[in-house]
Amino acid sequence: MKKYSLLGDLVIFSFIFLIFIIPPFFTSKISTSSPLFSAWNFPFNQFIFSIMAFVLYFFYYDKQEKKLPFFPILMTTSMLFCVALFIKFFSVLLVTNNISEDLQIVLPDSPKTWIFCLLNFAFAAFYEEVLYRFYFADKLQSLLAYKIKWKYLWIMCEAIACLAFAFAHFYLGIFSVLNALFGHIILRVCYKKSGSILTGFIAHFIYNVISLILL
């Protein structure tokens, strides 16, 4: 990751933290009166977020060593689904009134709405991969390293980023938080192995689309 001035990095990190990281914590929980997907229109918000994420990635990405740019996509996607299935299994065992009963989802019903649906998931997967897998943990570590000299600092930063992504899904229920937590770990390892967000983005996108169909 490229390094810029400390002041510039602090300003950008604070902006990202306030605009992208904090707001999902206050998203209303899914219910019959607050459905997850009720209509499919062009995802303007996700489009704007993905543009901002692209700019962030462009200015901070620094390919310093050759890695496998397409770390096995099938393996990454399979691991995401395996974790999701295990968590779903335990949620059914432990909770009789699961949140999935309250999910109100309208599947796309025309080529136009399918395009909007796929764009929605593509934009969302892209900016989440940039923010949580590429930027947040590494930049947090580099900023804290100016003042904190601790060999386990990277573990703390990785944990903070993981929890931030996990609890950004709290509006879907505690089992979705667990799913997102393990999903972040898988996608973060994928990013570290590949050196780019391509594989994680593709796996994340495929997972979201198939999950929508199976819900």
Side-chain angles (χ1 to χ4, degrees):
M1 180 177 287
K2 296 178 183 178
K3 294 183 179 180
Y4 296 94
S5 68
L6 176 59
L7 179 60
D9 279 342
L10 281 172
V11 170
I12 294 173
F13 185 85
S14 299
F15 175 79
I16 296 298
F17 188 77
L18 292 174
I19 299 299
F20 292 100
I21 305 299
I22 293 297
F25 296 159
F26 300 97
T27 302
S28 300
K29 287 190 175 182
I30 298 301
S31 65
T32 53
S33 60
S34 180
L36 181 58
F37 297 116
S38 58
W40 295 100
N41 300 305
F42 184 83
F44 285 103
N45 289 342
Q46 288 84 347
F47 176 63
I48 294 172
F49 287 170
S50 65
I51 290 178
M52 296 173 70
F54 176 80
V55 173
L56 187 72
Y57 189 70
F58 177 81
F59 279 103
Y60 279 102
Y61 180 65
D62 184 18
K63 188 174 182 180
Q64 297 179 337
E65 58 180 308
K66 290 185 178 180
K67 294 184 179 181
L68 187 61
F70 285 96
F71 183 74
I73 296 173
L74 180 60
M75 182 176 71
T76 304
T77 308
S78 299
M79 291 175 67
L80 291 174
F81 276 108
C82 286
V83 168
L85 286 173
F86 274 113
I87 292 176
K88 179 65 175 179
F89 174 74
F90 284 110
S91 71
V92 172
L93 287 180
L94 298 175
V95 182
T96 55
N97 184 22
N98 195 273
I99 189 172
S100 61
E101 296 176 1
D102 296 326
L103 291 179
Q104 300 296 312
I105 299 176
V106 176
L107 288 174
D109 58 1
S110 68
K112 180 180 178 180
T113 54
W114 267 112
I115 291 173
F116 288 159
C117 169
L118 295 178
L119 288 176
N120 188 313
F121 287 138
F123 293 149
F126 178 76
Y127 76 73
E128 286 184 352
E129 290 306 305
V130 171
L131 291 177
Y132 292 102
R133 259 62 76 180
F134 166 74
Y135 178 78
F136 189 60
D138 290 340
K139 183 52 63 178
L140 178 62
Q141 180 183 351
S142 69
L143 291 173
L144 291 178
Y146 280 98
K147 293 293 184 180
I148 302 175
K149 305 301 180 183
W150 183 38
K151 64 179 181 179
Y152 298 115
L153 177 63
W154 71 273
I155 297 178
M156 183 184 76
C157 294
E158 292 289 351
I160 291 173
C162 184
L163 291 173
F165 181 72
F167 280 95
H169 295 76
F170 186 69
Y171 67 98
L172 291 172
I174 189 61
F175 291 108
S176 290
V177 171
L178 292 175
N179 186 43
L181 187 147
F182 288 106
H184 171 85
I185 294 172
I186 293 169
L187 291 167
R188 177 69 171 163
V189 170
C190 173
Y191 165 70
K192 285 297 186 178
K193 290 290 186 181
S194 65
S196 78
I197 62 168
L198 289 175
T199 302
F201 162 68
I202 295 172
H204 193 161
F205 172 73
I206 293 172
Y207 171 80
N208 284 347
V209 173
I210 295 179
S211 295
L212 171 71
I213 297 173
L214 295 179
L215 281 175

